[in-house]
Amino acid sequence: MKRYRLADLSQVEVEQLCQRNPLHDPEAFETCRLIFTAVEREGDAALRRWTHQLDSVWIDDFRVAGQEFDQACQTVEGRTLESLQQAADNIRLFHSRQQAPRQKVEVQPGVTCWRESRAIEKVGLYIPGGTAVLPSSVLMLGIPARLAGCRQISVCVPPRPDGTVAAEVLAAARMVGLNRIFKIGGAQAIAAMALGTESVPRVDKIFGPGNRWVQAAKRLAFRYGTAIDLPAGPSEVLVVADAKAHPGFVAADLISQAEHGSDSQSVLVTDSAEVVTKVELELARQLDDLPRRNLASQSLQQSYSIRTADLEGAIGFANRYAPEHLILNVENAHVWAEKIESAGSVFLGPWSPEVAGDYASGTNHTLPTSGAARAFSGVSLDSFVKKITFQELTPQGLSLLAPALQQLATIEGLEGHRRAVTVRGKESGVGSRESGR
Amino acid sequence: MKRYRLADLSQVEVEQLCQRNPLHDPEAFETCRLIFTAVEREGDAALRRWTHQLDSVWIDDFRVAGQEFDQACQTVEGRTLESLQQAADNIRLFHSRQQAPRQKVEVQPGVTCWRESRAIEKVGLYIPGGTAVLPSSVLMLGIPARLAGCRQISVCVPPRPDGTVAAEVLAAARMVGLNRIFKIGGAQAIAAMALGTESVPRVDKIFGPGNRWVQAAKRLAFRYGTAIDLPAGPSEVLVVADAKAHPGFVAADLISQAEHGSDSQSVLVTDSAEVVTKVELELARQLDDLPRRNLASQSLQQSYSIRTADLEGAIGFANRYAPEHLILNVENAHVWAEKIESAGSVFLGPWSPEVAGDYASGTNHTLPTSGAARAFSGVSLDSFVKKITFQELTPQGLSLLAPALQQLATIEGLEGHRRAVTVRGKESGVGSRESGR
């Protein structure tokens, strides 16, 4: 990790440290454009060709059959199923509390307005994979989709070279009630869900993490009119640690992020020079026998620590960085949490590792990266619904608003708008004083 | 209006009737790309040049000065100010009820998760204009931005050929506490807010309606990493009317939408042949002396009515169309409202014209168009905040999750994740049975 001291950095240098992985990626975008055009023209045939070219496997029937599910569920270990079940229960409980109650507001007498949630009918979930096995993403997207009441939930998973999908992914899907699984990966999966093909239905919104091509494809889908959950990129963690933080915990949290890939970012911000040194020693020690040591080392070499004068400065930097995951390994973490303005998900105190949120505490792990946390929230139940406004006016309610409606229509030069009020005033007999204006 | 009967239409024809104004607009996109590149390279100089070219006015200082505000507020009529104030009060009341309470969930003993809202720090509001005067959009975007607590709110309004901005727009801005107003319009305004220039600060999220160039620019901004509120296009209304609906009300509502522009859509869906005929007669009568008659007529010529066998069929069509505005001018509108799945904003019964929501009932008028209501909500307080998840585990809470966390990390092949748990198990003395695995 590179070492910096906040006091030595100019504003511009701080800004540069907060920059990472620009979302604007013209090269990946160009590839995606080719794929979208092919899928738009040729449907399944294009999907098969690109799958063969990029995933080295020829798939005749994209949809996972019932017996593949049955077999998969039989091969998964009992304790894996139990672990998935515990995670699923917690995720379901936390997300179920995000249901918004219908609350009618009588804004003025006879003018009643309210909002109601309605599920997005058709959603598509992308689960990255290939050689990796990520059943946790199935839970994180599938559970809120089902809770929201989405009627048609498609899932795309890249096929492995032998044409199968990991048994754990299928078991997790069945556990949460998803059975429309397609063996398609990468940008071609996003194109299929955005445009629709013979096999894959078009969806209204696409969710899920993925590599740079998947992310570019999601932004392209957005241009075609499909909603997307988040502009997501490589994963990242920022740990704020004070002098009392356990260096072994901090190092383990940084490594658990770094092992995701060489483009992951792990940032340490602390007001203690001693913590920097001790964490560096711990990193070296813990990396020593890590299976994914090479990836984690590469990632940590591109990462950095920042020493600040005090914790106030550390929190200030965290807010500018707007990390996907923020660990507050400090005393009185609650007090500091109040000052957090931008982050995807925040972990308070020494006993809340990011990995808890990655898998099983109940919060969602689909979170904004690359600074998107300044404007985006992570995935939640809200992501799977629309909140529709409703209003009902009585004749008296309309008459109370009528003078303002007519005046504003007049200054906006919209006489037809004004008449939609006056035509009613004539019939209701209320507020006719205004209606003849 | 063209006349259709739902029973005569194939699935494909219904699909085509629901298609409008494709969001994918390569021509506008190409112009926007030129503008973005210029603004990125040259900042204010590019803004001045494009403003001169597109709005025929040379602006030296984009920001509206304090004395321009003072003068504007003095010239606006008293009853306009009162109308804006009534609208502002209602909008503020309805949006203030959208604040989500902090609700902690103890998912398992010692595992506590919750969400908190945080304002997006820097937002940009686009108010269309030029020759039109749209103070209502200032209220609809400015009030929730202020309620949410956004710290830096920029507003862009196109300058008129004399270099001024409508007094009503400035008065509305001052009324809701906005003072950072820039005289910049079109795609160059969106580029300025997305990229930042010497005069205009870069923002995290851009809001507001606009023409096709503004909309294309917003989608391009999204590719650069700036969040946007909605992919919005031309305005539209769908009126569901039963045999008892007053034809004059229905016609007035269709016209109030049609007068926005020739690309607006006004759709009538009814189970009564008589209503179709009577509304057509009313349309002709009401159009006769409408100031914006030409625009409204053009728009209505491209619009249509659909007769359905029953109201169930009418609601079914409305859900497929997913209109920006949906008027349920039917008996028992509440019952039918329950069946609405996709719409921006819904108006119940004969006394709730769209114009109430356009201006003053309290609901937001920034709504998803062109079918985007299938996946997007209109602007609300939620649009100006992030909902950040927080979690705090006790040593006991972590030990309850530890076996599942370790098992899931193991099957996902992420040993570093597993160790972030075990390193803590060793220290806490809790759950050490698992930690040595």
Side-chain angles (χ1 to χ4, degrees):
Chain A
M1 287 182 119
K2 297 185 202 78
R3 280 192 194 192
Y4 298 101
R5 278 169 35 134
L6 190 61
D8 299 338
L9 299 169
S10 69
Q11 288 284 81
V12 172
E13 284 166 325
V14 169
E15 211 53 59
Q16 281 165 348
L17 285 176
C18 291
Q19 286 285 336
R20 64 266 193 205
N21 312 302
L23 291 168
H24 190 49
D25 183 348
E27 193 196 328
F29 218 78
E30 204 39 52
T31 308
C32 291
R33 207 193 306 264
L34 284 177
I35 294 175
F36 270 62
T37 307
V39 171
E40 197 167 22
R41 283 198 199 131
E42 302 168 65
D44 283 351
L47 294 181
R48 284 197 191 91
R49 210 170 57 241
W50 280 101
T51 300
H52 187 246
Q53 187 172 330
L54 299 173
D55 295 327
S56 310
V57 54
W58 186 266
I59 304 283
D60 277 314
D61 190 358
F62 295 113
R63 184 149 176 190
V64 174
Q67 70 187 58
E68 276 180 272
F69 271 108
D70 298 340
Q71 283 167 5
C73 293
Q74 282 159 17
T75 62
V76 174
E77 271 191 287
R79 63 177 174 176
T80 298
L81 291 176
E82 282 163 32
S83 300
L84 287 170
Q85 193 62 60
Q86 184 183 2
D89 290 344
N90 290 347
I91 295 164
R92 192 174 293 111
L93 175 60
F94 184 61
H95 286 74
S96 69
R97 296 296 178 84
Q98 294 165 5
Q99 256 139 3
R102 175 159 76 181
Q103 192 194 13
K104 293 199 174 187
V105 185
E106 192 167 9
V107 178
Q108 293 199 252
V111 181
T112 307
C113 303
W114 68 99
R115 289 202 299 172
E116 293 186 29
S117 294
R118 293 288 195 274
I120 299 173
E121 188 187 353
K122 298 170 189 169
V123 298
L125 316 181
Y126 184 75
I127 309 298
T131 53
V133 174
L134 299 173
S136 58
S137 291
V138 177
L139 304 184
M140 291 293 178
L141 298 175
I143 290 171
R146 295 272 297 165
L147 267 178
C150 300
R151 274 213 298 269
Q152 184 191 292
I153 306 172
S154 301
V155 181
C156 283
V157 193
R160 296 186 288 199
D162 65 355
T164 65
V165 165
E168 289 84 358
V169 166
L170 295 183
R174 178 162 277 187
M175 186 174 281
V176 300
L178 307 177
N179 57 34
R180 194 189 289 266
I181 318 285
F182 299 99
K183 296 177 196 168
I184 315 172
Q188 59 273 26
I190 306 302
M193 295 193 284
L195 304 168
T197 72
E198 304 93 305
S199 300
V200 184
R202 185 183 176 143
V203 303
D204 299 317
K205 188 168 184 177
I206 295 174
F207 295 78
N211 60 24
R212 52 186 280 226
W213 289 277
V214 169
Q215 295 309 322
K218 280 170 67 184
R219 283 197 293 285
L220 188 56
F222 185 73
R223 270 181 56 190
Y224 274 84
T226 312
I228 65 169
D229 55 348
L230 290 173
S235 197
E236 57 199 30
V237 70
L238 188 148
V239 180
V240 175
D242 63 12
K244 291 191 177 169
H246 189 301
F249 294 9
V250 175
D253 291 339
L254 295 170
I255 286 175
S256 77
Q257 189 56 249
E259 74 172 346
H260 274 297
S262 57
D263 52 1
S264 292
Q265 260 209 347
S266 305
V267 178
L268 169 62
V269 188
T270 177
D271 59 349
S272 155
E274 213 185 329
V275 164
V276 173
T277 310
K278 284 184 176 168
V279 168
E280 283 176 354
L281 287 171
E282 271 290 331
L283 285 173
R285 204 179 62 77
Q286 293 187 20
L287 279 172
D288 194 43
D289 62 343
L290 190 78
R292 293 165 77 103
R293 178 183 167 176
N294 283 346
L295 280 181
S297 296
Q298 274 177 43
S299 161
L300 287 170
Q301 269 162 33
Q302 289 156 37
S303 298
Y304 54 86
S305 66
I306 292 201
R307 188 148 68 82
T308 56
D310 47 31
L311 279 183
E312 199 78 50
I315 298 293
F317 183 83
N319 281 329
R320 289 181 76 163
Y321 187 91
E324 181 191 16
H325 304 98
L326 172 61
I327 298 178
L328 298 178
N329 195 338
V330 294
E331 276 199 314
N332 299 316
H334 274 278
V335 176
W336 296 106
E338 296 287 329
K339 298 177 195 284
I340 297 307
E341 290 167 6
S342 291
S345 196
V346 184
F347 300 78
L348 280 73
W351 307 104
S352 310
E354 184 204 312
V355 67
D358 285 345
Y359 291 130
S361 62
T363 59
N364 209 289
H365 78 193
T366 314
L367 297 166
T369 62
S370 309
R374 294 184 195 106
F376 288 88
S377 313
V379 165
S380 72
L381 194 64
D382 300 340
S383 313
F384 293 89
V385 301
K386 299 96 61 174
K387 292 191 178 167
I388 303 178
T389 50
F390 291 78
Q391 62 198 282
E392 184 166 32
L393 278 64
T394 63
Q396 290 72 21
L398 182 57
S399 76
L400 272 179
L401 294 184
L405 298 178
Q406 293 176 61
Q407 180 63 15
L408 293 172
T410 302
I411 62 166
E412 295 200 351
L414 297 170
E415 173 65 12
H417 282 56
R418 202 183 69 80
R419 292 187 189 174
V421 182
T422 54
V423 69
R424 286 171 163 90
K426 283 171 194 152
E427 294 293 323
S428 75
V430 188
S432 53
R433 190 168 45 88
E434 288 296 326
S435 67
R437 206 176 59 194
Chain B
M1 286 182 121
K2 298 186 203 75
R3 280 192 193 192
Y4 299 101
R5 278 168 35 131
L6 190 60
D8 299 339
L9 299 169
S10 69
Q11 288 284 79
V12 172
E13 286 166 326
V14 170
E15 212 52 59
Q16 279 165 350
L17 285 175
C18 291
Q19 285 285 337
R20 63 264 194 206
N21 312 303
L23 292 167
H24 190 48
D25 183 348
E27 193 197 328
F29 218 77
E30 204 39 54
T31 308
C32 291
R33 207 193 307 263
L34 284 176
I35 294 175
F36 269 63
T37 308
V39 172
E40 197 168 23
R41 282 199 200 130
E42 303 168 63
D44 282 351
L47 295 180
R48 285 197 190 90
R49 211 170 55 241
W50 280 101
T51 300
H52 187 245
Q53 188 172 331
L54 298 174
D55 294 327
S56 309
V57 52
W58 185 266
I59 305 283
D60 277 316
D61 191 357
F62 295 113
R63 185 153 174 185
V64 174
Q67 71 188 58
E68 276 180 273
F69 271 108
D70 297 340
Q71 283 166 6
C73 293
Q74 282 160 17
T75 61
V76 175
E77 271 190 286
R79 63 177 174 176
T80 299
L81 291 175
E82 281 163 33
S83 299
L84 287 170
Q85 192 62 60
Q86 185 184 2
D89 290 345
N90 289 348
I91 296 164
R92 192 173 294 113
L93 175 59
F94 184 61
H95 286 74
S96 69
R97 296 295 179 85
Q98 294 165 4
Q99 257 139 2
R102 175 160 75 181
Q103 192 194 13
K104 293 200 175 188
V105 184
E106 191 166 10
V107 179
Q108 294 199 252
V111 180
T112 308
C113 303
W114 68 100
R115 289 203 299 173
E116 293 186 29
S117 294
R118 294 288 195 273
I120 299 173
E121 188 187 350
K122 299 171 189 169
V123 297
L125 316 182
Y126 185 74
I127 310 298
T131 53
V133 174
L134 299 173
S136 59
S137 290
V138 177
L139 305 185
M140 292 292 178
L141 298 175
I143 290 170
R146 295 272 298 166
L147 268 177
C150 300
R151 275 213 298 268
Q152 183 192 294
I153 306 172
S154 301
V155 181
C156 283
V157 193
R160 296 187 288 200
D162 67 354
T164 64
V165 166
E168 290 83 358
V169 167
L170 295 183
R174 179 163 278 187
M175 186 174 282
V176 300
L178 307 177
N179 58 33
R180 194 190 291 266
I181 319 283
F182 299 98
K183 297 177 197 168
I184 315 172
Q188 60 273 26
I190 306 301
M193 294 193 285
L195 304 168
T197 71
E198 304 92 307
S199 299
V200 184
R202 183 181 178 146
V203 303
D204 299 317
K205 188 169 183 177
I206 296 174
F207 295 77
N211 60 23
R212 51 187 280 228
W213 289 276
V214 169
Q215 296 309 323
K218 280 170 68 184
R219 283 198 293 286
L220 189 55
F222 185 74
R223 270 180 59 191
Y224 274 84
T226 312
I228 65 169
D229 55 348
L230 290 173
S235 197
E236 57 200 29
V237 71
L238 187 149
V239 181
V240 175
D242 63 13
K244 292 194 178 168
H246 189 298
F249 294 10
V250 175
D253 291 339
L254 295 171
I255 287 175
S256 76
Q257 189 56 250
E259 74 172 346
H260 273 297
S262 57
D263 53 1
S264 291
Q265 260 209 345
S266 303
V267 178
L268 169 63
V269 188
T270 178
D271 59 350
S272 156
E274 214 185 327
V275 164
V276 173
T277 311
K278 284 184 178 168
V279 167
E280 283 176 354
L281 287 170
E282 271 290 332
L283 285 173
R285 204 180 62 75
Q286 293 187 21
L287 278 172
D288 195 42
D289 61 342
L290 189 78
R292 293 164 76 103
R293 178 184 167 175
N294 284 346
L295 280 181
S297 296
Q298 274 177 46
S299 161
L300 286 170
Q301 269 161 33
Q302 290 157 37
S303 297
Y304 55 86
S305 66
I306 292 202
R307 187 147 70 80
T308 57
D310 48 28
L311 279 183
E312 199 77 51
I315 297 292
F317 182 84
N319 281 329
R320 288 181 77 165
Y321 187 90
E324 182 191 15
H325 304 99
L326 173 61
I327 298 178
L328 298 178
N329 196 337
V330 294
E331 277 199 313
N332 299 317
H334 273 279
V335 176
W336 295 106
E338 296 287 330
K339 298 176 195 284
I340 297 307
E341 289 167 5
S342 290
S345 197
V346 184
F347 300 78
L348 280 73
W351 307 104
S352 309
E354 185 203 311
V355 67
D358 285 346
Y359 290 130
S361 62
T363 59
N364 209 289
H365 77 192
T366 314
L367 297 166
T369 62
S370 308
R374 293 184 196 105
F376 288 88
S377 312
V379 165
S380 71
L381 193 64
D382 299 339
S383 314
F384 293 90
V385 302
K386 298 97 60 175
K387 293 190 179 168
I388 303 177
T389 49
F390 291 78
Q391 63 198 281
E392 183 166 31
L393 279 66
T394 62
Q396 289 72 22
L398 183 58
S399 75
L400 272 179
L401 295 185
L405 298 177
Q406 294 176 60
Q407 181 64 14
L408 292 172
T410 301
I411 62 166
E412 295 199 350
L414 298 170
E415 173 66 12
H417 282 55
R418 201 182 71 78
R419 293 188 189 173
V421 181
T422 54
V423 70
R424 285 171 163 92
K426 285 172 193 154
E427 293 295 323
S428 75
V430 188
S432 53
R433 191 170 44 89
E434 289 296 329
S435 67
R437 207 177 62 192

